Amino acid sequence: MRIMPLEKRGISNSRVVYGCMGIGGEWNTTPYTKEDFIIAEKAVEAALSIGITMFDHADIYKKGKSESIFGEILKKRPDLRDQIILQSKCGIRPGDGVLPTRFDFSKSHIISSVDGILQRLGVEHLDILLLHRPDPLMEPEEISEAFNQLRSAGKVRHFGVSNMSSAQIRFIQNSLPEPLVVNQLEMSLARLDWLDQGISVNQKAGLDTNFADGIMEHCQMLDIQIQAWGPLANGKFSGSSLDDAPETVRQTTALVQQLADKYETKPESIVLGWLMKHPARIQPVIGTSSAERIVACKDAVRISESLTREEWYTLYTSSRGQSMP
């Protein structure tokens, strides 16, 4: 069995990541409630119960409250920190009514962001820090200075990126002494251009595909862990109402359920298992705050090893709504 790039580096063998963007109450500055804490605690416990030991954050999630509520969980369970891998992201500066939403990879912002993340989580270090979205004004030498300072101070052990092309990764990596270890991208049965891009080479259909050319191959060659955000596609194929759904969604949902029945599991595990079967050893980042839906993902690894090549392609073609080019 092929192992994940992160596992090769001795960082994590968690095949699925729990994304904490759904915990912490509302997307505003209103403090989270006791009920919000209970939901978050149940979500974390559900993730741990199915073998998830890696947790993904970002400084902007719920305006920092996702990290704060997770920090409260860690404070309640101080033994947990040594059992898990903590990852967070920085670099997005949301609009505030005066200034627009913007991206900031300046040394001062990266360092101050990490200090805020560590304070909210109540921990001394992050295992991995990701740069959240590409900053057109980024200067790799300045990023390198920030990373070196954070590593030397023991605040961050490894670094990665999110939503970046292979060219952008090479551009940043050229100034770094240590390898970037993660690239987080939107990937799911509902977001297929990462597959279409490769299959559509030398095809007219490829002209309409909007995905970074060669990113899958680049990450695989350099053992950069590809993480998939939005892997459950907001429940499109595993639980959402089909009342107004397009026919392709209805058909794919029915196929997912048929496979779930065959493999005696939940649709969520089929959706994730399909993604995880790819040779890149994609690591899904599930963002639901529902403990029930988290537990429904428990068979994803088994499904990734059990789905046949024919079943994988049938799901892919069904979700595309058309045959391959």
Side-chain angles (χ1 to χ4, degrees):
M1 181 192 304
R2 296 184 62 186
I3 63 174
M4 297 189 308
L6 284 183
E7 191 173 1
K8 290 181 182 180
R9 300 181 189 276
I11 299 172
S12 175
N13 63 355
S14 184
R15 283 293 281 119
V16 178
V17 178
Y18 181 63
C20 298
M21 68 287 292
I23 61 175
E26 302 297 324
W27 281 86
N28 55 37
T29 57
T30 303
Y32 58 79
T33 65
K34 181 179 180 179
E35 290 72 23
D36 293 327
F37 178 79
I38 292 172
I39 291 172
E41 191 172 37
K42 287 182 177 179
V44 171
E45 289 299 330
L48 293 169
S49 76
I50 64 170
I52 293 175
T53 56
M54 189 169 181
F55 293 83
D56 174 76
H57 292 270
D59 56 359
I60 64 168
Y61 290 161
K62 302 296 179 73
K63 296 186 178 294
K65 292 185 295 181
S66 295
E67 291 173 332
S68 295
I69 205 167
F70 196 92
E72 190 174 341
I73 293 172
L74 289 177
K75 186 176 181 180
K76 185 176 178 180
R77 286 193 53 184
D79 63 310
L80 185 57
R81 178 62 187 98
D82 292 335
Q83 302 172 28
I84 63 175
I85 297 296
L86 277 178
Q87 171 178 284
S88 194
K89 300 182 284 294
C90 72
I92 297 178
R93 305 189 73 164
D96 56 12
V98 177
L99 294 172
T101 295
R102 58 217 184 270
F103 311 116
D104 192 343
F105 288 177
S106 65
K107 177 181 177 181
S108 60
H109 182 70
I110 292 172
I111 291 173
S112 64
S113 294
V114 170
D115 287 339
I117 291 167
L118 296 178
Q119 182 179 21
R120 288 187 292 275
L121 288 171
V123 299
E124 296 182 352
H125 76 274
L126 285 176
D127 296 291
I128 306 174
L129 174 72
L130 307 185
L131 299 176
H132 206 159
R133 287 278 301 277
D135 174 12
L137 299 179
M138 64 181 171
E139 298 187 27
E141 297 82 5
E142 187 173 6
I143 293 171
S144 181
E145 289 179 9
F147 284 5
N148 288 337
Q149 183 171 325
L150 290 169
R151 184 184 290 106
S152 297
K155 294 180 178 180
V156 181
R157 294 182 174 174
H158 305 278
F159 299 89
V161 297
S162 180
N163 303 299
M164 289 202 191
S165 69
S166 56
Q168 290 166 326
I169 291 173
R170 290 195 301 270
F171 183 53
I172 295 173
Q173 183 67 73
N174 189 57
S175 295
L176 301 179
E178 301 291 334
L180 295 167
V181 300
V182 169
N183 188 18
Q184 195 173 112
L185 304 162
E186 184 182 8
M187 310 168 84
S188 71
L189 263 176
R191 178 71 191 270
L192 294 169
D193 45 4
W194 56 282
L195 288 173
D196 294 342
Q197 188 274 326
I199 290 176
S200 298
V201 171
N202 201 36
Q203 302 286 333
K204 288 184 179 180
L207 298 175
D208 298 322
T209 302
N210 181 28
F211 197 78
D213 185 23
I215 188 62
M216 299 298 294
E217 295 82 0
H218 179 77
C219 289
Q220 286 176 260
M221 288 190 297
L222 296 184
D223 280 332
I224 298 172
Q225 181 69 60
I226 296 177
Q227 295 178 343
W229 63 267
L232 291 172
N234 293 316
K236 181 176 290 187
F237 308 110
S238 58
S240 297
S241 172
L242 296 176
D243 291 346
D244 300 314
E247 186 58 28
T248 48
V249 173
R250 291 174 180 271
Q251 292 176 354
T252 305
T253 299
L255 180 57
V256 167
Q257 185 60 58
Q258 289 173 18
L259 290 169
D261 292 340
K262 173 184 174 180
Y263 288 106
E264 299 181 334
T265 189
K266 299 291 185 180
E268 287 86 350
S269 286
I270 298 296
V271 172
L272 293 186
W274 174 84
L275 190 66
M276 294 161 66
K277 188 175 181 66
H278 191 278
R281 305 297 284 172
I282 296 166
Q283 191 181 34
V285 182
I286 58 174
T288 177
S289 61
S290 165
E292 182 180 2
R293 289 199 70 208
I294 294 169
V295 173
C297 300
K298 68 182 180 66
D299 295 325
V301 174
R302 174 171 67 86
I303 298 305
S304 71
E305 298 167 352
S306 301
L307 277 181
T308 67
R309 177 179 286 261
E310 290 71 27
E311 288 168 341
W312 189 91
Y313 269 103
T314 300
L315 277 170
Y316 171 46
T317 305
S318 175
S319 190
R320 288 186 87 246
Q322 54 185 310
S323 59
M324 283 175 285

